[in-house]
Amino acid sequence: MPGRLSGVVGVAYVSTDADLLAGRSVDYTGRYRGRAAALVRPGDAAQVAQVLRECRDAGAHVTVQGGRTSLVAGTVPEHDDVLLSTERLTATSGVDIADRRVRVGAGVTLGSVQQAAVAAGLVFGVDLAARDSATVGGMASTNAGGLRTVRYGNMGEQVLGLEVALPDGTLLRRFSRVRSDNTGYDLASLFVGAEGTLGVLTELELRLYPTPAQRITAVCGFADLAALVAAGRLFRDLDGIAALEMIDGRACAVTAEKMGVAAPVDAPWLLLVELAGADDPGERLAAAFDDIDVSGEPAVGVDVAAQQRLWRVREAVLEVLGVYGPPLKFDVSLPLESVAGFAAASADLVKIHAPEAIPVLFGHIGEGNLHLNVLRVDTAAEQHLYAAMMTLIAEHGGNVSSEHGVGSRKRDYLTMSRTEDDVSTMRAVKAALDPTGYLNAAVLFG
């Protein structure tokens, strides 16, 4: 098999080195490991398509890898797979300023797209903490959200067109110069959020936006989570809302202790709010504060340096999560009215299954998209806690995945968020495009 792949991409871009494969077969958190037989790195879409044909004909499983930042073991192989990396698919066209779009290879990082947009006086609507390693192909495959979802939406709303290598080795190109196009099936949308089970994204055309002239950032505190949620409802509907991030006071305590990053407001719950637009949003922000029950005086950043200091509070939470070893992660979407109840119930659940663990909760409160990370939990407690937490999420009317995808970690809980008919239909689509089920076989269905 490696010899046939070398004939497609060149000897230099195929490896069976055991140490390299071991490093590529562990997930981003370091918690989950798999096994692979070879790594192949195609240089263009035609090579991707030919690699898929060779693997299909040889009966080899393929796991697709981009920046390998999946938090649900979505890039961990389970069948001595061929790892197909998109890291060489990095071609980028010039930014189309008039139409505000850019075409990039699937292996281009989010940070590179952001830099290209800024250089053209525009912005890209999605932002993640893993911006320097997450690739746009992987982000589209999982329909990633991030820090600006409340303003711009998820990754799927940024994809104007795409090229994908299908499991049979054909190339599907769906690009259009017009913004309004309802000629037949919306095939591009089929591959957004499919987690690589229906094809390998090779190129994407992405939407860009005008850069807001004015921006203001604030962090305010709340004595209880219900008050924060009520404030979140108000802020998400404000004209110019750009970000709305909830931060657990327990997380701030850990970042202060371990990283020296202290919160600017002392409260059990913090809310980071950012408004942006053509006009100065300061008055709108001040008026909104008059209508909510904050704890203490909010910290407000008007200039760039002050705004960066406030954002540092949110970013430090992500950086400190691994201080006690790989955290146990739950990416959950909840109705806003269920958030406070879930927060209390999940903390109680952690006490039952892992008394020494530290639960921290943060996320994008405008969408009810929260990230519960359990720190200092051992593997013995993990299995029971994970299953119990999935049940708790469902009991509170939530989705077991919001923006990280299902991957292999959550595939057993898919029917908690989708009906049996939903899953049967998805399986039928998978079978139509990939009859042998060799592509990303561990993901979504298992």
Side-chain angles (χ1 to χ4, degrees), residues 6-287:
S6 296
V8 177
V9 303
V11 175
Y13 300 111
V14 176
S15 178
T16 57
D17 180 79
D19 291 336
L20 175 64
L21 294 177
R24 293 272 188 151
S25 299
V26 61
D27 84 311
Y28 187 71
T29 69
R31 205 170 188 93
Y32 311 111
R33 295 180 178 275
R35 60 186 189 275
L39 168 69
V40 58
R41 298 182 294 139
D44 57 33
Q47 289 185 359
V48 173
Q50 183 61 34
V51 165
L52 291 182
R53 282 192 291 270
E54 295 289 350
C55 291
R56 180 202 58 181
D57 293 347
H61 287 88
V62 172
T63 290
V64 186
Q65 296 188 336
R68 296 185 295 122
T69 56
S70 171
L71 299 176
V72 288
T75 60
V76 177
E78 292 187 357
H79 307 90
D80 288 320
D81 300 32
V82 171
L83 302 178
L84 191 162
S85 172
T86 62
E87 65 193 79
R88 294 178 62 213
L89 305 181
T90 56
T92 302
S93 70
V95 172
D96 184 336
I97 298 176
D99 276 350
R100 295 201 294 268
R101 60 176 72 191
V102 63
R103 192 175 295 188
V104 297
V108 172
T109 64
L110 169 60
S112 295
V113 173
Q114 291 174 329
Q115 292 169 14
V118 169
L122 300 169
V123 295
F124 182 57
V126 176
D127 190 23
L128 309 173
R131 59 187 67 90
D132 293 328
S133 50
T135 61
V136 293
M139 291 169 60
S141 291
T142 57
N143 197 17
L147 302 170
R148 307 288 180 184
T149 311
V150 71
R151 183 181 182 94
Y152 299 110
N154 280 35
M155 189 68 181
E157 296 174 66
Q158 321 310 320
V159 177
L160 298 174
L162 55 77
E163 177 185 67
V164 56
L166 299 179
D168 66 358
T170 59
L171 278 173
L172 172 67
R173 293 174 59 84
R174 189 69 188 93
F175 296 107
S176 177
R177 297 307 301 168
V178 298
R179 291 294 180 101
S180 180
D181 184 354
N182 65 351
T183 50
Y185 298 146
D186 186 359
L187 292 178
S189 294
L190 181 63
F191 298 95
V192 174
E195 300 188 44
T197 59
L198 303 180
V200 181
L201 297 181
T202 57
E203 189 175 35
L204 299 101
E205 192 162 59
L206 302 173
R207 187 191 310 273
L208 303 177
Y209 299 86
T211 302
Q214 303 283 339
R215 192 180 298 273
I216 189 168
T217 310
V219 172
C220 47
F222 295 86
D224 62 80
L225 185 51
L228 184 149
V229 171
R233 290 182 185 275
L234 185 152
F235 279 119
R236 71 177 181 178
D237 294 328
L238 278 186
D239 181 36
I241 187 68
L244 196 57
E245 295 293 302
M246 181 193 81
I247 310 170
D248 187 340
R250 291 169 297 195
C252 293
V254 176
T255 59
E257 176 189 353
K258 300 296 184 180
M259 299 179 61
V261 179
V265 178
D266 184 17
W269 298 96
L270 274 63
L271 182 66
L272 185 150
V273 183
E274 187 164 276
L275 300 180
D279 303 321
D280 183 0
E283 290 187 7
R284 291 198 304 278
L285 182 64

